[in-house]
Amino acid sequence: QVQLVESGGGLVQAGDSLRLSCAASGQAFSTYTMGWFRQAPGKEREFVAVISRSGGNTVYADSVKGRFTISRDNAKSTVYLQMNSLKPEDTAVYYCAADRAYVLSRVARDFDYWGQGTQVTASS
């Protein structure tokens, strides 16, 4: 089992940047595929990005490709989401999640463990 705690959210202007962090504790962090999802008010949770166990492979949602970067530091048991050129439509609660499977899934129900979320608001 793994426990996940996100941090780094906040209120920014459109065009600004934020870096989210997700610290993991519990079982070996490097054995989990890690993902970021987000959920805006009144909308379903949606995929943002996912990274492989080693960090060598990543997949992004089309809506964030070229603006967001997912990375991980297995020595620190932490996954990051660097968000640049933020838009008002990026406003949501952002969640990190851990998947015991090897494949890079975009589907929320495939992930086994979730953090509590951190609010990101980009104002116009």
Side-chain angles (χ1 to χ4, degrees):
Q1 191 168 349
V2 64
Q3 294 78 42
L4 304 172
V5 179
E6 301 97 335
S7 61
L11 172 63
V12 298
Q13 297 290 320
D16 286 351
S17 299
L18 276 176
R19 189 176 80 154
L20 305 183
S21 299
C22 174
S25 60
Q27 291 186 352
F29 177 73
S30 62
T31 65
Y32 290 92
T33 298
M34 297 299 298
W36 285 97
F37 291 77
R38 65 187 183 186
Q39 188 167 17
K43 294 188 177 182
E44 293 188 354
R45 192 167 298 190
E46 67 170 354
F47 167 77
V48 176
V50 63
I51 189 166
S52 63
R53 295 171 177 178
S54 68
N57 293 292
T58 57
V59 177
Y60 295 92
D62 288 344
S63 59
V64 306
K65 199 173 295 182
R67 298 188 298 123
F68 291 11
T69 302
I70 187 171
S71 61
R72 67 190 295 163
D73 185 337
N74 286 343
K76 295 183 178 179
S77 297
T78 302
V79 62
Y80 305 97
L81 186 67
Q82 177 67 44
M83 305 184 294
N84 298 330
S85 302
L86 281 161
K87 304 176 181 179
E89 51 264 43
D90 294 319
T91 295
V93 177
Y94 283 70
Y95 299 90
C96 72
D99 184 358
R100 288 173 291 189
Y102 183 78
V103 295
L104 301 186
S105 175
R106 298 171 177 243
V107 179
R109 65 176 179 270
D110 288 341
F111 286 75
D112 302 292
Y113 304 103
W114 293 82
Q116 83 290 347
T118 186
Q119 176 71 47
V120 171
T121 303
S123 63
S124 57

